[in-house]
Amino acid sequence: MIREFFRVMVVNLTTGKTNIVEIGGRSEFLGGCGLAALLFRKYGRVDADWDHPDQPLILTIGPLTGYYPLMSKTCCAFRSPYHNQYAESYAGGKSALSLRFADLDGLVVVGRAERLTALCVGSRRVETRDVEYMRGFDALQTGRVLRKIFPGSGRRSILRIGPAGENRSAFACINVDTYRHFGRLGGGTVMGAKNLKGICILGDRGFPLPEGKAYPKLYQHIFEQLTTTEMMAKYHGVGTAVNISPLNKLKSLPWKNLQQTSSPEADKISGETFADDTLLRNAACAGCPVGCIHVGFVREQFQANNQYLYRQVGYDYEPIFSCGGMLEVTDPGQVLRILDVIEKVGLDNMSAGVALAWCTEALDKGVITEAETLVRFNWGDADTYMKGVEFLGTPPNDFYRLLAQGTMKCARQYGGEDFACVLGQEMAGYATGEVFFVSEALGFRHAHLDAGGYSWDQKHEEREVEPALDFLVNDGRDRIVLNSMVGCLFSRGVYKDEELAAALDALGYGELNGKLQDIGQRIQCARWRLRLDMGYDPDKVKIPKRYTEITTWKGPLDVDYLDALRRGYAARIKAMGTDPRGEIDPAQYERKGK
Amino acid sequence: MKALRASRMERCIGCHSCSLACARLVHKVLSWNKAGIRIASAGGLSTGFEARVCLACSPAPCAQACPTGAMAPRRDGGVMHKENLCIRCGKCAEACPVEAIFLDHEVNPYVCIHCGRCVAFCPHDCLELVDLPAKGGEAADD
Ligand code: SF4
Ligand code: SF4
Ligand code: SF4
């Protein structure tokens, strides 16, 4: 059941040594993103860059992982190559349950291996293998080989990187099992810098459950709520891709590098069209009956005389926005082909698509030329974009090397900053308005998942600053609590504070009842403090001109409102980041005499 | 007499809800292994899933291999595992043609008892409880 301490495995790739460490602080940090912040304070370095061998790659789960449905995510934390500050990313697949059944609340990898290495951990196992021969292997091939090296089908998780991570593209992802990713801010790059090609987590243990009926009864109750028709219709049915059409209608769908916020062509790549034309089947993260993963299918003729091959490619709203709408690729099959290359190369799909959208506009405007891009990108031309993805993963020249460090970094050198769709990192797919833009540009993860700014924009026409900022901070904190458990954010309608407290209680951990908001606040301050300590200055964040040129359903963007929000949110972030509640002294959580 | 069938595995999404339900409700543990049904990907997620679950054989090779009678055949097929008779030799698991018996690291066997409690937790209706044709004859006591 729930321990009052965290059991963490620390693997040092430089020395080859592994330790199991017990760390206190369950009632202060819960797990997930709270535990990650604590672990970074303990193992990470504020005074060294992201690629210093000492810097940790941290994976954490939470107290409820595996015990309830949709408690199926892992938090991955690291100092990001993208902005050289603390960052988090989340993924599911089988990673969370594998960590649970490996009996690890956290896995920390420090050091740097001399040669390319694969790591395997389990409840009774830790092992590294020299996999230098896998250098340059794409992420799918790497997964196949790792599955052979570390057997255990159905009860293990395989994390690995493609060439982009090895080559230190700053937005390389970590591919998790199949079709899941620690996508954003360069977790894959951190693995690459450690010479770590893959991690296999074997979930080979089981644990006693509480006696009595309370726990299975609560499980059943939550299970039923999460599998109601509404939830299933939204995430299981058409899936997140269902958002394309409504956002297009609201003039909030970034299109053609955000030159437009809607397009008559959007229906061609709507969730419904993807489902009708390409959907092969659904899949799920382990422990999730909702099953939001949508696997599309594309058939390609590779020779005359009816010779076909087929590809299976996962899709969601975000990759359709970034590699469909943003590039004006309006054929679902072509979108899937681009995504397939991204999957193999091992890049974050949002950053890759948005970077190539900027390239296309920069070429059109003559800001850069084919001398830099090597190929001529044209809106809608999937084949060239597929080439571009490969260049981002394995840069053939200085231009791509810089672009793979981030679109804005490249634009700063070559020009075209005004139309680089960057909000802290390449944007997520919501041109909903001022609140979302500020939320993503300044937000902790620079992700649409930090807080529901996109939804605030859609529901509020009034332009009030303080209520919007209250919402960003409070909604952000609720998400932090869920991210400490670690639950899928799709379940946030069901897992409110009371349900979470009841869920903990049924596992014999009742003392957190009524304290979750305080804990959320502590973690929120602790995370901001980490970022501020690493040089983040929210006052300096600029929102590119392109965002001020758009029109949504509310009309033209209100620049004054945007600016007021930006200044107000920056002030709130600084207040949270200097709040003494966010101070962590890791020594305080050492378990004496253990 | 009933038997669990994983009849529609081509619909499976790999959520492990069935295994977790069996472990929770039948074996009172949190596990995706210590369960009568276990899900494996048939070679990476992209090729679908298969279920490791008892076929309810009659005669049952696992029962025949068991030296102590701990794996006792049910009347119409399948087995009951009697923990107190089990010496943890693992012969049953070796004998099963479809890897339906899971042995934990202490060599405790876990096998489906065809109770059907997992069925309701499958979101895609992959599982069903069917009637086995009555066999009659020599076998067991339940
Ligand atoms: S456990 Fe295996 S051998 Fe025994 S009855 Fe079931 S399928 Fe047959
Ligand atoms: S039928 Fe019963 S024993 Fe068999 S797998 Fe399902 S829950 Fe477990
Ligand atoms: S509950 Fe159903 S869909 Fe989920 S793993 Fe089991 S058989 Fe597959």
Side-chain angles (χ1 to χ4, degrees), chain A residues 66-67 97-98 101 124 153-155 178-179 203 206-207 209 215 219-220 223 236 281-284 286-289 312, chain B residues 12-17 20 24-25 28-34 39-41 44-49 105 120-121 123-124:
Chain A
Y67 283 100
L97 265 62
S98 293
F101 295 130
R124 290 185 300 280
S153 177
R155 54 196 170 87
T178 317
Y179 312 128
F207 305 97
L209 284 172
Y215 166 68
Y219 186 105
Q220 171 122 16
F223 187 95
H236 181 81
R281 60 197 182 81
N282 275 64
C288 169
Q312 301 183 43
Chain B
C12 176
I13 56 173
C15 66
H16 294 261
S17 297
L20 292 165
R24 181 173 67 249
L25 300 171
K28 315 280 186 231
V29 289
L30 180 72
S31 174
W32 52 11
N33 284 334
K34 298 183 178 192
I39 302 301
S41 49
L45 197 78
S46 60
T47 41
F49 300 94
H105 68 287
F121 287 92
H124 265 193

Side-chain angles (χ1 to χ4, degrees), chain A residues 123-401:
Chain A
S123 70
R124 290 185 300 280
R125 181 162 170 187
V126 54
E127 180 190 337
T128 51
R129 293 266 186 109
D130 186 321
V131 293
E132 191 58 47
Y133 61 91
M134 279 163 71
R135 198 169 282 286
F137 276 27
D138 75 44
L140 297 186
Q141 199 182 2
T142 305
R144 275 193 292 271
V145 178
L146 289 175
R147 275 180 211 113
K148 291 224 168 69
I149 306 182
F150 303 121
S153 177
R155 54 196 170 87
R156 74 180 159 196
S157 180
I158 292 193
L159 284 52
R160 71 280 184 194
I161 57 170
E166 291 175 37
N167 297 330
R168 301 199 180 194
S169 302
F171 44 83
C173 71
I174 302 174
N175 298 50
V176 179
D177 300 317
T178 317
Y179 312 128
R180 298 290 89 186
H181 317 86
F182 293 111
R184 310 229 71 184
L185 290 170
T189 323
V190 174
M191 279 182 67
K194 294 193 168 305
N195 258 329
L196 184 58
K197 183 71 171 167
I199 303 174
C200 172
I201 305 162
L202 296 173
D204 47 4
R205 266 203 63 180
F207 305 97
L209 284 172
E211 308 276 331
K213 297 224 163 65
Y215 166 68
K217 216 172 137 205
L218 182 60
Y219 186 105
Q220 171 122 16
H221 175 68
I222 293 173
F223 187 95
E224 278 161 10
Q225 282 177 281
L226 286 167
T227 48
T228 55
T229 36
E230 196 199 334
M231 274 286 290
M232 292 303 264
K234 194 158 160 203
Y235 297 115
H236 181 81
V238 179
T240 54
V242 78
N243 283 333
I244 296 273
S245 297
L247 286 172
N248 187 47
K249 282 196 196 84
L250 284 174
K251 294 207 180 86
S252 298
L253 178 69
W255 193 269
K256 226 177 156 184
N257 200 40
L258 202 54
Q259 293 177 16
Q260 298 161 224
T261 50
S262 70
S263 163
E265 302 279 286
D267 282 347
K268 293 188 186 163
I269 51 168
S270 69
E272 294 77 5
T273 312
F274 263 82
D276 288 345
D277 297 356
T278 79
L279 182 58
L280 190 59
R281 60 197 182 81
N282 275 64
C285 296
C288 169
V290 174
C292 75
I293 306 174
H294 285 63
V295 184
F297 152 87
V298 53
R299 185 172 90 128
E300 254 173 67
Q301 185 163 16
F302 63 96
Q303 258 176 19
N305 195 22
N306 293 316
Q307 298 306 296
Y308 287 94
L309 57 80
Y310 68 94
R311 302 176 196 284
Q312 301 183 43
V313 192
Y315 69 79
D316 258 304
Y317 170 71
E318 300 295 343
I320 298 177
F321 131 76
S322 64
C323 297
M326 279 298 261
L327 302 174
E328 211 174 36
V329 175
T330 55
D331 177 87
Q334 299 302 324
V335 177
L336 291 179
R337 286 177 69 227
I338 300 173
L339 293 177
D340 187 50
V341 184
I342 293 179
E343 183 83 21
K344 288 180 179 142
V345 167
L347 284 169
D348 175 59
N349 63 61
M350 282 182 256
S351 287
V354 172
L356 293 175
W358 172 83
C359 268
T360 313
E361 185 167 339
L363 275 171
D364 284 354
K365 291 202 154 85
V367 170
I368 51 174
T369 67
E370 254 183 86
E372 282 86 34
T373 58
L374 307 179
V375 287
R376 170 68 218 199
F377 296 115
N378 288 305
W379 303 111
D381 175 6
D383 283 296
T384 322
Y385 288 129
M386 287 161 74
K387 268 248 131 348
V389 171
E390 288 185 349
F391 291 153
L392 285 171
T394 307
N397 63 14
D398 288 341
F399 172 77
Y400 282 105
R401 221 163 285 129

Side-chain angles (χ1 to χ4, degrees), chain B residues 54-57 60-62 78 96-98 100-101 111:
Chain B
C54 172
L55 302 174
C57 312
C62 57
C96 174
V98 292
I101 302 178
V111 65

